Amino acid sequence: QVDRYLYHLRLSDDVLLDVLARFQAEMVKGLGRDTNPTAAVKMLPSFVRSLPDGSEKGDFLAVDLGGSQFRAHQVKVFDDGKQSSQLESKFYPTPKEVTQGNGAELFDYVADCLLDFMATKNLKHKKLPLGFTFSFPCKQTKLEEGVLLAWTKHFKVRGVQDTDVVSSLHKALQKHKANVEVLALVNDTVGTMMTCGYDDPRCEVGLIIGTGTNACYMEEMRHIELVEGDEGRMCINTEWGAFGDDGALDDLRTEFDRELDLGSLNPGKQLFEKMISSLYLGELVRLILLKMAKEGLLFNGKVSTALLTKGKIEMKHVSAMEKYKEGLSNAKEILTELSLFPSEEDCIAVQHVCTIVSFRSANLCAAALAAILTRLRENKKLLRMRTTVGIDGGLYKTHPQYAKRLHKVVRRLVPNCDVRFLLSVSGSGKGAAMVTAVAHRLVTQRKQIDATLAPFLLSLKTLREVKDKMRTELEYGLKRETQANATVKMLPTYVCGTPDGTEKGKFLALDLGGTNFRVLLVKIRSGRRRSVQMYNKIFAIPLEIMQGTGEELFDHIVQCIANFLDYMGIKGARLPLGFTFSFPCRQASIDKGTLVGWTKGFKATGCEGEDVVDMLREAIRRRNEFDLDIVAVVNDTVGTMMTCGYEDPNCEIGLIAGTGSNVCYMEDMKNIEIVEGNEGKMCINTEWGAFGDNGCIDNIRTKYDKEVDEGSLNPGKQRYEKMTSGMYLGEIVRQILIDLTKQGLLFRGHISESLRKRGIFETKFLSQIESDRLALLQVRQILRQLGLDSKCDDSIIVKEVCGVVSRRAAQLCGAGLAAVVEKKRENQGVEHLQITVGVDGTLYKLHPHFSRILQETVKQLAPQCDVTFMLSEDGSGKGAALITAVAKRLHSVGQ
C-alpha cells in the first residue's frame, strides 16, 4: 500500500541516468560566459588552483563561519615527509543577535573570537596566514576576495550582501590590531575536498550532505569561461542546491515537495537541496504521514496536533526509525511521543516511508555526483578513472544506511570510475588552513619562478639598445679599417641584383647545408607565363664523409651530381650551376667562396681557408665524365631572399630563423668599403649569429645562456645565434628546468636521468608544448616521452619556461631585423619605407608564436618601416638557380 502510495518517490536507474544527463547540461550552462547569468547551477570559480602536494609546511590559522557555532583553528603542517598535521580548535556560540544583526557586529564578533583564540594559544606575537571558511554562496574574482550573493541557513545579517566579506573581516581585524593576513576565502565544500586531498592526493571532489548539500570539483581552466586563462585547473563550487530552480526537475517533484517548498523561507529556491538535505527530509516525512493519516491509511485515520505542527519530525527521528535492529521500537517511541499511538503495522509503514524518502535523497545525490565524476573522466580522456571523493555532513555521517546506499548507486551509475569515498575527519576548518597553506606555497613558489625567469623578460628600452648595438656592428663590418675585428662579418656575396622577370633557361642547383645534399634541375620561363619548375633528388651524406677529407666530400658530391644527371638524362648538357653552400664563406667574386669555418657537425679536413668552388671543379675534373659552368656560390639566406624576390620585387632582405639564424640584405655599393666600386647594390650576408661575441650583449646573457655556450662545440662563438636559433632554445629550457627542479619548484625536486642528458629537450618540443590547441594533459604526455613525470602544476611551469625562452628569441631576432630595415630606410633617404623580408626556417614556420612576436617587435622598434614578411618556398634550391640566372643576365648585359 505504501509502495503504491509513494510510487513517484521511487527512481529507477534509467531516471537517475536522465538526472545525470540533466545535471551535466546544467554544469555546461553554469561554466559558459553567455549562459551563466540564466543558469540555475552557478558553478562558482573558487580560485583554488592547486591541491596539496605534500610540500606545504608552517603554522596557519582558520576561522569557520556558517553553522550554529563559530570555530577558530590552529593548524600546524609538518614537512617531515609523512604529510602530518596537527589541528587545535575552539568553538564559540553564534548568538541570534550576531546572526540576525548588522555586518559590523558580525565581523567584530569574529575578530574578537579569533583574538581570544590566539591569546589562549599564545600566538598574538606571530604574524600568521589565515584561511576563512565562509559557508555561503559567494562570487569570487580571486582567492582572497568574495562577494556574498545571498545568506542561507539561519543567517540574516544586514548590510553584508553584495559586499566583499574578506575586506569586512580585514577591517575588523585591523580595528582590533590583530597581526593576521587573510590569504584565502573558501566554501565548506572546498574545505572538505582540501582536507581529504591532504591525506589522499587523488581527492578532487568535495561533497557536503548534511543540513545543506553541495559539491565542488577540480575543473579544467579551459572550460571555465568566467575566468581568464586556460592553463591548469580550478576548483568549482557548483552550488548544486539550486539545481531545478528553473523547472529542470519539475517532472520528478511530488505534491509533497511542492507543499514543503511553499512553506519554506525561500519558496522556489534551492529545490534540489529541498529534495535531498537533512534540513528538509524530516518535514517531507511529516507531510506524507499527515496525508496518509487523513486518508485513513495510518493511525486509524487520527491526526494529532503534533502531526499538524511544522518541523515536529526531524532528521534525527528519521535516522532513528531506520536503524536495523531498534528501528521499529524507535518508531513506536517517536510516534507515541507525537500522540499517534501506532499499531505495529503503522510502525512498519512509517519506517518504510522514512526509507523511501532517504533512499530518494541518496539516489538524487548519487546521480548529480555521477555527473561530476563522468565530467572529470571525460576531461582527462580516460576510459577508466580512479578518484577520491571527500565527504562531510551530518546526514552522511549519522544516518545508519545513507553512506552505503550512496556508494552503491554511484558505482552503478559510473561503472568506469573506481571511486573511493573518504570521510573528512577535521572538516572545513582544516581545509581552509590547507587552502591557505597551498596558497602560501604557491605565492612563495611564484616569487622564486618569477625571479628565475625575470632575466628573460626584455623591456622595450633593452630591445632598443640591442637594435642600436646591432646597427653599430653592421657598420663595423662594412668599414675597411674595422672589418677585420668586426664580429658581424658582413660578407659580400657578389650577388648584385634581384630577379626582374626576364630570367629564363635551365639551371642546375646544389644545396649543401646539413646531413642531406640535394641536386636540382630548375627550368625558368619568362614573359607572361612566367614560371619555375623544379626536379630534385636527395642524397645522404654519411658521417664518415662529413668528417673525412675534403677530397672525399667533394668526390661524393660529384658522384651524387652524376647520378642525378643520369636520372634526368642530361649528362651531355653543359648547364650553368648555382651552389648553395650554407657555411660562412669569404667571397672575392660571385663564383669564388673561401670557407671561413665549418658548422653544423661538418669537420672535413683540408677545406677551411680553401675556395669551395675550386674544390668542386677539381672533383668534376677528377671524374672526367661531364663539365658544368659554376656561375655562383651562395648562402641559404641569400637563396631565400632571391626566391621571394622572384615573386615580389620589393624583397631585398632574407632571414633564416631555424636551426641557425642569419640575415642578408641588398646594401648600397658605396657603403661597402671592402669592395671596389660605388655603383648599384650588392647582397651582404651579415653572418649575424656572431653578434655579441665581443661582449656587447653580455648584459642580457643569463647564466643559462652561458651554460649552453660552454657546453657547445664552439664556446664563445655565435652568441646571438645561441640565444635566437632553434638549435639552442631547447637546451636553454633544459638548463632552466634543472635549476627550477633543484629549487624544489618542479618534478617534486627530482632531477630525472633524462633531464640530465644534453640535447634531450629538442626545439620541436617547445613548438608542441606552446601550441594553443594543446591541453595540459597532452603537455604531460610530451614530458612523459622525455621521461619526466609531471603533475598539472609542473606542466604549467614548463609551458611558461618554453614561452619566455622562445619569446625572448623572437624579440632579439626582431631587434636585429629592425636594425637592418632602419638601415635600408636611411640608405634610401625616405621618411617611410615599404619593404619585404623573405623568410625561411623551421622556427619561424612551425613555432606557434615566434613569427607573430618577431613581427610585432620589428613594428615597435622600426615604426617608420612597413615590413611585409613572405615565406620562402624552397629558398635554398630555387634561390641558387635564380641567382645563377640573374648573374647570367647581368653578365650578358655587362658584355
Side-chain angles (χ1 to χ4, degrees):
Q1 224 177 0
V2 174
D3 271 356
R4 262 205 323 276
Y5 196 76
L6 298 182
Y7 175 75
H8 293 297
L9 285 166
R10 286 187 172 279
L11 305 174
S12 68
D13 277 5
D14 284 346
V15 171
L16 294 178
L17 287 168
D18 187 38
V19 173
L20 181 156
R22 291 184 212 183
F23 189 71
Q24 274 199 308
E26 289 296 319
M27 290 167 80
V28 172
K29 212 168 155 186
L31 289 170
R33 186 179 290 112
D34 299 331
T35 46
N36 175 274
T38 57
V41 179
K42 282 298 175 203
M43 304 293 283
L44 301 171
S46 68
F47 291 82
V48 170
R49 294 171 187 265
S50 184
L51 295 164
D53 71 354
S55 67
E56 293 78 14
K57 59 176 186 281
D59 274 9
F60 302 93
L61 290 171
V63 291
D64 193 343
L65 182 69
S68 52
Q69 289 183 311
F70 169 76
R71 292 176 290 179
H73 313 271
Q74 181 193 6
V75 181
K76 286 177 188 284
V77 184
F78 302 106
D79 183 23
D80 53 6
K82 296 176 191 166
Q83 277 195 243
S84 52
S85 62
Q86 183 185 322
L87 175 75
E88 293 186 37
S89 308
K90 191 169 178 183
F91 293 74
Y92 298 88
T94 43
K96 197 168 181 183
E97 59 269 23
V98 170
T99 61
Q100 311 282 314
N102 67 48
E105 290 163 352
L106 171 70
F107 290 104
D108 277 345
Y109 181 71
V110 170
D112 272 336
C113 296
L114 180 61
L115 279 166
D116 172 75
F117 177 70
M118 289 173 76
T120 60
K121 298 285 169 205
N122 196 22
L123 296 171
K124 279 197 163 180
H125 61 288
K126 284 187 175 181
K127 181 163 181 148
L128 294 176
L130 172 85
F132 182 18
T133 303
F134 187 75
S135 307
F136 307 93
C138 280
K139 186 181 178 188
Q140 291 186 254
T141 51
K142 45 188 173 187
L143 186 58
E144 67 281 14
E145 175 187 291
V147 173
L148 175 66
L149 296 176
W151 286 113
T152 55
K153 303 168 188 166
H154 57 285
F155 279 70
K156 271 278 190 297
V157 183
R158 296 184 300 281
V160 181
Q161 201 167 319
D162 299 322
T163 67
D164 174 21
V165 294
V166 177
S167 66
S168 301
L169 179 59
H170 261 304
K171 279 178 202 154
L173 290 168
Q174 277 174 333
K175 196 164 111 187
H176 289 71
K177 296 189 169 56
N179 194 15
V180 171
E181 182 188 11
V182 184
L183 273 190
L185 174 79
V186 292
N187 179 283
D188 53 349
T189 322
V190 181
T192 297
M193 181 187 76
M194 291 300 268
T195 301
C196 297
Y198 185 65
D199 299 320
D200 180 348
R202 286 189 192 277
C203 181
E204 48 193 346
V205 181
L207 173 65
I208 299 274
I209 179 81
T211 321
T213 181
N214 194 12
C216 69
Y217 72 103
M218 295 300 287
E219 175 60 88
E220 302 287 324
M221 279 289 287
R222 67 182 188 277
H223 296 149
I224 310 170
E225 292 182 8
L226 304 169
V227 178
E228 286 301 309
D230 55 3
E231 299 301 342
R233 302 197 299 166
M234 183 183 284
C235 180
I236 288 289
N237 163 21
T238 65
E239 286 295 336
W240 77 6
F243 177 34
D245 287 8
D246 55 357
L249 295 175
D250 280 3
D251 57 328
L252 299 179
R253 291 174 68 226
T254 64
E255 58 181 299
F256 308 113
D257 293 310
R258 291 188 173 84
E259 196 177 335
L260 180 144
D261 177 43
L262 287 171
S264 70
L265 288 170
N266 55 348
K269 299 276 168 68
Q270 300 294 103
L271 297 182
F272 187 61
E273 183 166 88
K274 284 169 187 168
M275 293 166 86
I276 65 173
S277 84
S278 62
L279 190 64
Y280 300 99
L281 294 191
E283 182 60 9
L284 203 55
V285 168
R286 183 189 73 81
L287 291 170
I288 293 167
L289 297 184
L290 177 60
K291 188 169 182 194
M292 287 176 80
K294 281 180 178 174
E295 291 182 9
L297 294 171
L298 281 176
F299 318 126
N300 292 322
K302 287 178 187 162
V303 178
S304 70
T305 316
L307 201 55
L308 288 163
T309 309
K310 187 177 164 188
K312 212 57 180 166
I313 297 180
E314 296 173 33
M315 192 61 221
K316 63 180 181 184
H317 299 134
V318 176
S319 295
M321 289 192 274
E322 279 196 76
K323 283 193 174 157
Y324 282 118
K325 288 178 180 168
E326 59 267 40
L328 280 176
S329 58
N330 287 346
K332 193 170 182 69
E333 196 178 309
I334 291 160
L335 295 169
T336 305
E337 276 176 24
L338 296 173
S339 313
L340 289 166
F341 311 109
S343 65
E344 193 165 332
E345 286 78 15
D346 288 337
C347 291
I348 292 168
V350 170
Q351 191 182 38
H352 203 51
V353 169
C354 292
T355 301
I356 288 171
V357 166
S358 60
F359 218 126
R360 183 185 72 156
S361 163
N363 275 337
L364 287 170
C365 186
L369 180 58
I372 289 174
L373 294 170
T374 303
R375 185 170 177 88
L376 270 175
R377 185 180 60 77
E378 287 170 356
N379 280 351
K380 294 180 178 187
K381 297 183 170 61
L382 294 173
L383 291 173
R384 190 165 195 89
M385 176 180 79
R386 274 180 70 193
T387 193
T388 299
V389 176
I391 304 196
D392 204 352
L395 181 55
Y396 184 87
K397 286 177 174 175
T398 59
H399 188 283
Q401 287 146 80
Y402 197 93
K404 195 169 78 179
R405 288 171 185 164
L406 178 73
H407 300 177
K408 207 170 174 181
V409 181
V410 168
R411 288 181 177 129
R412 214 164 59 229
L413 295 178
V414 279
N416 44 12
C417 292
D418 301 318
V419 190
R420 178 188 181 206
F421 291 88
L422 183 60
L423 189 62
S424 164
V425 182
S426 23
S428 48
K430 180 181 171 185
M434 287 320 307
V435 173
T436 309
V438 170
H440 192 257
R441 163 172 67 80
L442 293 177
V443 165
T444 311
Q445 284 180 350
R446 186 71 260 166
K447 283 179 185 162
Q448 288 174 273
I449 292 164
D450 287 349
T452 301
L453 300 183
F456 288 88
L457 307 179
L458 305 180
S459 66
L460 204 54
K461 179 174 175 279
T462 303
L463 290 170
R464 282 200 183 100
E465 286 168 8
V466 172
K467 179 189 86 167
D468 294 342
K469 286 173 182 173
M470 177 66 89
R471 178 64 192 270
T472 303
E473 295 296 316
L474 298 177
E475 301 290 357
Y476 277 163
L478 289 171
K479 291 199 167 26
R480 188 175 284 112
E481 68 270 18
T482 49
Q483 205 276 338
N485 299 320
T487 50
V488 179
K489 285 296 177 199
M490 304 297 280
L491 303 171
T493 65
Y494 294 85
V495 171
C496 295
T498 51
D500 68 356
T502 63
E503 293 77 17
K504 61 177 189 285
K506 286 182 185 175
F507 302 89
L508 273 182
L510 311 181
D511 183 5
L512 179 71
T515 50
N516 288 330
F517 167 64
R518 278 194 316 160
V519 187
L520 305 96
L521 173 66
V522 183
K523 294 180 180 175
I524 304 173
R525 283 171 67 167
S526 61
R528 268 202 332 208
R529 296 176 63 197
R530 205 165 81 114
S531 68
V532 177
Q533 280 181 302
M534 290 192 296
Y535 309 89
N536 74 75
K537 210 166 173 152
I538 296 173
F539 302 90
I541 298 192
L543 190 65
E544 62 270 19
I545 286 182
M546 281 169 70
Q547 300 186 352
T549 67
E551 211 166 272
E552 287 168 338
L553 173 64
F554 280 94
D555 282 348
H556 179 73
I557 288 170
V558 172
Q559 169 73 55
C560 298
I561 297 170
N563 288 355
F564 180 75
L565 296 175
D566 274 345
Y567 172 72
M568 295 300 295
I570 51 169
K571 206 160 198 179
R574 190 172 189 272
L575 296 175
L577 178 136
F579 184 13
T580 300
F581 187 75
S582 305
F583 304 92
C585 280
R586 199 176 295 285
Q587 291 185 248
S589 67
I590 195 165
D591 62 349
K592 289 193 180 310
T594 303
L595 176 63
V596 175
W598 285 117
T599 57
K600 304 175 196 172
F602 276 73
K603 279 272 182 353
T605 57
C607 298
E608 292 181 1
E610 297 295 325
D611 180 356
V612 294
V613 176
D614 280 350
M615 293 188 82
L616 181 60
R617 283 191 182 123
E618 284 294 322
I620 291 170
R621 218 169 285 135
R622 274 197 299 276
R623 192 171 180 92
N624 199 19
E625 265 183 38
F626 53 85
D627 197 14
L628 296 170
D629 175 18
I630 304 169
V631 173
V633 58
V634 296
N635 182 280
D636 54 349
T637 322
V638 184
T640 296
M641 179 187 79
M642 292 301 264
T643 302
C644 295
Y646 185 68
E647 306 293 332
D648 178 353
N650 218 14
C651 179
E652 291 202 338
I653 299 175
L655 166 68
I656 299 278
T659 315
S661 177
N662 196 13
V663 150
C664 72
Y665 71 103
M666 296 302 289
E667 177 59 271
D668 291 359
M669 282 290 286
K670 63 176 187 284
N671 296 330
I672 312 171
E673 292 185 5
I674 49 176
V675 176
E676 291 302 313
N678 284 331
E679 294 305 312
K681 294 178 182 177
M682 183 186 285
C683 180
I684 290 288
N685 165 21
T686 64
E687 286 295 338
W688 78 0
F691 173 47
D693 288 4
N694 59 359
C696 71
I697 53 170
D698 279 3
N699 62 315
I700 59 167
R701 287 176 78 228
T702 66
K703 62 177 182 178
Y704 310 107
D705 295 309
K706 288 167 188 161
E707 280 162 4
V708 168
D709 179 34
E710 282 158 19
S712 70
L713 288 169
N714 53 349
K717 301 276 169 65
Q718 301 293 99
R719 288 182 179 179
Y720 180 65
E721 182 166 77
K722 284 169 187 168
M723 295 164 86
T724 56
S725 80
M727 191 166 183
Y728 301 98
L729 299 190
E731 187 57 18
I732 297 171
V733 167
R734 187 182 74 88
Q735 293 290 350
I736 299 170
L737 298 185
I738 286 175
D739 191 19
L740 291 174
T741 308
K742 281 179 182 169
Q743 292 180 54
L745 303 170
L746 262 183
F747 311 129
R748 293 161 299 294
H750 172 64
I751 300 176
S752 67
E753 275 311 305
S754 60
L755 196 55
R756 294 180 200 276
K757 285 182 197 156
R758 184 173 297 282
I760 182 82
F761 209 99
E762 294 171 45
T763 298
K764 69 173 182 186
F765 294 127
L766 261 80
S767 295
Q768 289 169 358
I769 286 168
E770 285 191 74
S771 166
D772 295 329
R773 296 189 306 277
L774 220 58
L776 282 173
L777 210 64
Q778 290 155 296
V779 173
R780 286 175 74 177
Q781 282 168 356
I782 292 168
L783 294 174
R784 209 163 281 138
Q785 285 169 27
L786 295 171
L788 302 169
D789 182 25
S790 75
K791 287 189 169 180
C792 178
D793 294 354
D794 293 331
S795 303
I796 295 171
I797 295 168
V798 170
K799 195 164 182 175
E800 189 180 348
V801 171
C802 292
V804 296
V805 170
S806 61
R807 183 179 183 81
R808 183 190 68 160
Q811 287 179 321
L812 286 174
C813 201
L817 191 57
V820 175
V821 296
E822 270 294 325
K823 181 163 190 1
K824 288 287 295 173
R825 187 180 67 79
E826 287 174 29
N827 282 358
Q828 288 187 25
V830 292
E831 189 67 29
H832 200 87
L833 175 74
Q834 279 208 320
I835 194 161
T836 299
V837 176
V839 196
D840 204 351
T842 47
L843 193 57
Y844 187 91
K845 285 179 173 176
L846 301 181
H847 190 281
H849 308 300
F850 189 93
S851 58
R852 174 182 54 79
I853 295 164
L854 179 130
Q855 290 174 28
E856 284 169 2
T857 308
V858 173
K859 202 168 190 169
Q860 277 180 311
L861 299 180
Q864 289 163 277
C865 301
D866 184 7
V867 185
T868 303
F869 288 83
M870 183 178 188
L871 267 182
S872 157
E873 293 304 322
D874 190 47
S876 42
K878 187 173 164 184
L882 283 163
I883 288 166
T884 307
V886 170
K888 281 297 222 190
R889 171 171 62 79
L890 293 177
H891 183 64
S892 56
V893 168
Q895 281 184 327

